[in-house]
Amino acid sequence: MRFTPHTPEDRAAMLAALGLGSVEELFAVIPEPLRAKSWDLPAGMSEPEVSQYLAKLAGLNAQNLISFLGGGFYDHHIPAAVDALISRGEFYTAYTPYQAEMSQGILQSIFEYQSAICRLTGLDAANASLYDGGTALYEAAMMAVRKTRRKKLIVCTSVSPIYRIMLETYTVNLHLELVEADVSDPAALEGLLDNDTAGLILQNPDFFGVLHDYTPHFAAVHGIKGLGILGCNPIALAVAKTPAEMGADIAVGEGQPLGLPLSFGGPYLGFMAVSQALLRTMPGRIVGRTHDAQGRTGYCLTLQTREQHIRREKATSNICSNEALCALAAVIFLGLMGKKGLVELAELNMTQAAYARTRLTDIPGVEAVDQGPWFNEFRVRLPIDARVAVSRMIDKGIAAGFPLGRYYPEQANNLLVAVTEKRSKEEIGYLAEGLEAVL
Amino acid sequence: MSEAKKAPGGLYYTKEHEWVKLEGELAVVGLTDYAQDQLGDITYVELPEVEAEVEQMGEMCVVESVKTAADVYAPLGGVVAEVNSALEDQPELLNQDCYGAGWLVKLKGFDQAELDNLMDAAAYGQLLAEGE
């Protein structure tokens, strides 16, 4: 059985039909510097060889580490029911629900997901989801640019550096002005906010795990008729002041903590919720609930005039996809937790992290960097380079955290430690004892 | 449909199917009967901000119907003096009474000379006839 799409004979026949002698001739219209130099592909292998090769590669990974890694992506427990339910064929292989009469189940599941995101954020409307938290943040920034017709975005340096890099990459050719500054203290906004400011982008908890009340920040940005954008952790929303309570216009975030595995970085789930006034400028799909002629409840994709298949270059965004299966996992996770359960889960994360912070800061030479309050992640300053400490800890079977020097050169000794409900008191003990031993 | 309903006299028209009516210092702007009929049921009007500046034939606002979203162009350059906020809750006024209660925007500070770039009812009627 061949799995390659066409044989050399097939290619020769196609080229002959085009009156060409070679594949190079076929692509001659593409300027030379733009053509691929090489695909850099190794020679083919048989199926057993591929299995062995991949197993060998996987074996190079440090396996079964006790993980205290966070930085925006967290190792939470995923109830078995989540995967069991999303694996049902009706969900797993569903296509875009353009035909409402064929897709009531999928449409309702998206509607329920949107409702859950609205309840978590306190805002009026949510879309069907975006690729991931970083994409959602960029789309929120672009909403602010479109809505205000202004060019300047102020981004706090405590917003995830990964997302800030994504924002720069996405906007590099859009003639916008990205201003990065530490505006944790609202006084720092003085002189930055002006009549060219489209929006202010903040994160809660911030990248260092600290919870904030950004109410004064959003009041200030509204004062100059800009928009307030808040990146948030969906589990922290169960206990923290909501984006709506702070006055944010747009809330976005990474939905991975809601029942999705870390799985090497994806697929993840970008969520977005907005105030009613911004509903029509929101990108992505939106499912609405309505009634048919006989008064029966029905669900459908709505407000599609925002989308590219109707509005072409005027579309709110050229994202024409959503992460329906991941969104479904999230709404199932939230349903299993329930309102009370989610609060308990959030509180458990906070108490476990607080215990770890106490244990680590008891080590001579290790100190807390921030005053708190924290959610489930915090910074500690080590007496040595955090990268060195982390690599020594790997040998003990522990991923001790994220060395902040990678994104913040002035923080070479700072370690970002995340503690979820999955980390037992015993494991936190290993972390503290191990760290003390390697310093 | 009578010719008068399609394009009443005394108004100025654009190729993009906007109409203008002069009211002293103000120019009232709306969509023509042909435009509202082509769009179908109008579900939403995104009005500009008061005091926004517009250029002649520059984008002024967006009208959405059940099947499409269309830009509305400013027939004259000037400053937005008033918007028809009744359209926020009743966008269907555009379908029901496009030359009356369904007006969109009132402009001020426009240049009379720019009226020379617009059509009268007869010329606009001719444009529609050619299109059919």
Side-chain angles (χ1 to χ4, degrees):
Chain A
M1 175 73 196
R2 296 185 63 91
F3 291 99
T4 45
H6 39 236
T7 63
E9 293 77 22
D10 293 334
R11 287 199 289 272
M14 286 191 276
L15 287 168
L18 292 166
L20 298 170
S22 69
V23 174
E24 285 66 39
E25 272 182 60
L26 176 65
F27 292 118
V29 290
I30 302 171
E32 182 67 44
L34 299 179
R35 278 184 249 168
K37 300 286 173 287
S38 129
W39 299 111
D40 197 22
L41 287 171
M45 286 185 202
S46 68
E47 190 178 337
E49 283 173 317
V50 170
S51 294
Q52 280 173 0
Y53 176 67
L54 291 176
K56 198 176 89 183
L57 275 184
L60 298 175
N61 287 324
Q63 306 275 343
N64 303 320
L65 296 172
I66 301 169
S67 177
F68 292 91
L69 280 169
F73 316 96
Y74 301 92
D75 182 26
H76 290 287
H77 173 65
I78 301 171
V82 174
D83 283 349
L85 290 170
I86 67 170
S87 303
R88 290 182 59 103
E90 304 91 320
F91 290 127
Y92 213 72
T93 61
Y95 182 63
T96 309
Y98 286 126
Q99 286 176 280
E101 62 276 30
M102 291 291 293
S103 304
Q104 284 299 294
I106 286 285
L107 286 163
Q108 185 178 354
S109 74
I110 296 172
F111 182 83
E112 303 297 350
Y113 158 81
Q114 290 171 183
S115 305
I117 296 299
C118 288
R119 287 187 62 188
L120 279 177
T121 57
L123 288 160
D124 302 316
N127 70 9
S129 70
L130 296 153
Y131 297 126
D132 60 16
T135 308
L137 192 74
Y138 155 74
E139 290 287 348
M142 293 312 293
M143 274 177 75
V145 168
R146 281 197 306 273
K147 187 76 185 173
T148 60
R149 301 185 183 192
R150 295 172 178 178
K151 296 280 186 202
K152 181 169 146 186
L153 291 160
I154 299 168
V155 190
C156 189
T157 46
S158 69
V159 169
S160 164
I162 300 163
Y163 293 173
R164 285 187 284 124
I165 291 165
M166 285 175 79
L167 203 55
E168 273 167 46
T169 306
Y170 268 129
T171 58
V172 69
N173 295 318
L174 298 181
H175 310 294
L176 300 176
E177 187 191 352
L178 281 186
V179 178
E180 294 196 346
D182 183 358
V183 293
S184 305
D185 179 347
L189 288 169
E190 284 289 326
L192 287 178
L193 292 175
D194 56 24
N195 290 336
D196 195 35
T197 306
L200 169 67
I201 302 174
L202 301 164
Q203 183 175 314
N204 194 48
D206 68 20
F207 190 67
F208 312 117
V210 179
L211 287 163
H212 298 262
D213 181 353
Y214 289 122
T215 307
H217 297 72
F218 293 133
V221 78
H222 290 157
I224 50 110
K225 294 193 168 153
L227 294 183
I229 298 166
L230 185 61
C232 33
N233 174 323
I235 292 180
L237 287 173
V239 289
K241 200 167 180 177
T242 64
E245 286 167 332
M246 291 185 203
D249 302 286
I250 310 171
V252 289
E254 175 52 65
Q256 177 275 325
L258 305 174
L260 295 170
L262 288 162
S263 73
F264 304 95
Y268 286 168
L269 170 71
F271 65 84
M272 176 184 271
V274 300
S275 60
Q276 188 68 33
L278 294 173
L279 173 60
R280 286 171 182 275
T281 52
M282 181 160 61
R285 291 189 189 125
I286 302 174
V287 173
R289 186 168 66 193
T290 183
H291 299 288
D292 71 1
Q294 297 170 40
R296 295 174 300 185
T297 298
Y299 299 87
C300 63
L301 292 173
T302 188
L303 298 168
Q304 287 187 78
T305 43
R306 301 164 302 106
E307 296 190 63
Q308 63 180 9
H309 55 286
I310 305 235
R311 215 167 178 170
R312 298 175 176 260
E313 75 283 1
K314 298 273 187 196
T316 53
S317 159
N318 293 101
I319 285 204
C320 55
S321 181
N322 75 304
E323 297 272 330
L325 199 67
C326 296
L328 179 69
V331 72
I332 291 170
F333 177 90
L334 288 166
L336 289 164
M337 289 294 148
K339 191 173 170 179
K340 200 158 147 279
L342 195 70
V343 172
E344 285 172 10
L345 176 69
E347 287 170 346
L348 188 56
N349 273 260
M350 289 169 88
T351 49
Q352 296 298 87
Y355 174 69
R357 201 163 43 247
T358 306
R359 288 294 307 266
L360 293 184
T361 52
D362 280 348
I363 300 167
V366 177
E367 45 196 27
V369 178
D370 304 292
Q371 295 295 307
W374 296 270
F375 179 52
N376 65 352
E377 199 164 16
F378 57 90
R379 279 191 282 191
V380 283
R381 189 177 299 112
L382 308 179
I384 60 168
D385 188 313
R387 267 169 280 209
V388 175
V390 165
S391 63
R392 289 176 186 168
M393 290 291 283
I394 295 285
D395 299 335
K396 297 178 177 289
I398 297 169
F402 185 82
L404 283 164
R406 177 167 167 187
Y407 292 114
Y408 300 88
E410 72 288 0
Q411 294 197 47
N413 284 20
N414 288 1
L415 181 67
L416 184 65
V417 181
V419 189
T420 69
E421 77 288 347
K422 277 176 79 173
R423 295 289 77 82
S424 65
K425 204 167 174 180
E426 191 181 21
E427 288 174 330
I428 293 166
Y430 295 148
L431 171 73
E433 289 153 22
L435 198 59
E436 188 160 16
V438 302
L439 293 179
Chain B
M1 191 181 289
S2 71
E3 284 304 310
K5 169 84 164 80
K6 273 196 165 176
L11 305 183
Y12 296 89
Y13 294 90
T14 71
K15 286 191 180 68
E16 299 287 347
H17 312 285
E18 290 92 7
W19 56 261
V20 184
K21 184 165 75 181
L22 297 184
E23 281 185 356
E25 295 295 296
L26 297 176
V28 189
V29 179
L31 280 182
T32 65
D33 186 58
Y34 173 83
Q36 70 80 21
D37 184 59
Q38 288 290 307
L39 285 166
D41 284 344
I42 287 161
T43 54
Y44 179 71
V45 183
E46 187 186 311
L47 293 161
E49 298 275 324
V50 173
E51 295 300 324
E53 288 179 29
V54 292
E55 290 173 18
Q56 187 171 37
M57 297 324 286
E59 289 169 21
M60 187 175 70
C61 59
V62 179
V63 171
E64 286 187 14
S65 71
V66 287
K67 58 183 178 184
T68 188
D71 289 314
V72 179
Y73 301 94
L76 299 167
V79 175
V80 177
E82 261 183 78
V83 296
N84 185 358
S85 49
L87 295 171
E88 283 169 21
D89 295 323
Q90 293 176 281
E92 64 275 15
L93 289 172
L94 259 168
N95 294 117
Q96 293 162 1
D97 188 9
C98 66
Y99 294 111
W103 65 275
L104 290 167
V105 169
K106 293 184 184 178
L107 298 173
K108 62 184 176 188
F110 53 89
D111 181 351
Q112 293 278 349
E114 285 190 347
L115 290 167
D116 298 344
N117 303 329
L118 305 176
M119 291 177 276
D120 62 10
Y124 180 65
Q126 184 66 32
L127 177 85
L128 293 183
E130 283 165 12
E132 280 168 4

